[in-house]
Amino acid sequence: MLKKKPPFKLNAEHVALDFVNTLDDRFAPDGPHELLPSYAELLRFCRQAGVLTYAEAARLNAVPAASQKSALREAIGLREMLARVCYRWLQGKSPAAEDRQALRQWAARCMQHRELRWKDGRLAWEWRPFHGEAETPVLLLAQAAVELLTADQPPRLHACASGTCRWLFLDTSRNGTRRWCDMKICGNREKARRYSAAHRN
Ligand SMILES: [Zn+2]
């Protein structure tokens, strides 16, 4: 189940943003397209993004379907809340009060699954041992998102300049000039569009 399909495009430079991008063509007239139609696909995404090990994903793939279904529902809820927060962020707007509240609840829930350990001469938060709970990947993604959105150094959040794509990414280029989720896809498509527009006149 974890092979065969083409890999997810992980080009956001952060797993939480790659996760938001799994609702593809979010703003396109013929969109959106759901890339996580099943819990198995959520596992495949998490495996590829390095959120779960192969063994963890295999174990979660075998948990009861009802738990998988409710975890998937939670994952989609988390993703859409993050999308609202991020796309408002791009407009310089605060998240809606209920989304801020939801983010706080996710942070609190993640905290309940972590322990404070003494490690290598310092205190560190660690996840409780994995016992195959279906919600595990959702919590890991939520924690990654909370850390990104509340970092001391605000993330250099951008959306792809293609109006139909608008995938999120962090601009990690030195001069801060990245415009596309993928130059080879959206960058070239836009260039081709401009070229044909210019030559039509
Ligand atoms: Zn794009």
Side-chain angles (χ1 to χ4, degrees), residues 38-201:
S38 65
Y39 188 72
E41 285 299 288
L42 174 67
L43 293 181
R44 195 168 72 92
F45 168 80
C46 288
R47 259 248 321 120
Q48 201 193 317
V51 172
L52 295 173
T53 65
Y54 188 87
E56 287 166 345
R59 186 161 167 194
L60 291 171
N61 194 44
V63 304
S67 318
Q68 293 187 345
K69 209 172 151 192
S70 87
L72 177 66
R73 200 165 39 233
E74 284 201 303
I76 300 300
L78 168 67
R79 183 190 68 188
E80 294 312 299
M81 179 272 287
L82 294 175
R84 288 192 297 274
V85 169
C86 289
Y87 286 103
R88 281 179 70 95
W89 184 301
L90 289 172
Q91 299 176 300
K93 289 184 188 161
S94 156
E98 62 267 29
D99 288 339
R100 224 163 41 209
Q101 173 72 357
L103 209 50
R104 198 192 67 78
Q105 282 168 351
W106 276 109
R109 202 168 140 194
C110 289
M111 190 56 90
Q112 285 176 346
H113 288 76
R114 299 165 93 202
E115 278 165 4
L116 199 51
R117 296 249 170 80
W118 182 256
K119 202 179 169 190
D120 302 330
R122 65 183 197 92
L123 284 169
W125 290 109
E126 279 190 4
W127 291 95
R128 294 217 176 116
F130 173 69
H131 290 301
E133 300 88 350
E135 62 176 7
T136 300
V138 195
L139 292 172
L140 293 170
L141 291 167
Q143 179 66 28
V146 167
E147 285 175 11
L148 173 73
L149 296 173
T150 62
D152 287 344
Q153 191 78 349
R156 284 160 74 185
L157 185 63
H158 292 268
C160 178
S162 156
T164 52
C165 171
R166 302 207 65 211
W167 270 23
L168 298 173
F169 60 85
L170 291 185
D171 186 358
T172 54
S173 67
R174 198 184 304 173
N175 44 9
T177 52
R178 180 175 166 188
R179 293 190 64 210
W180 314 102
C181 66
D182 186 331
M183 184 63 211
K184 286 199 235 46
I185 300 170
C186 286
N188 284 347
R189 197 159 47 201
E190 181 71 11
K191 252 194 278 175
R193 196 188 61 77
R194 285 213 197 119
Y195 181 87
S196 70
H199 289 248
R200 225 177 283 136
N201 302 324

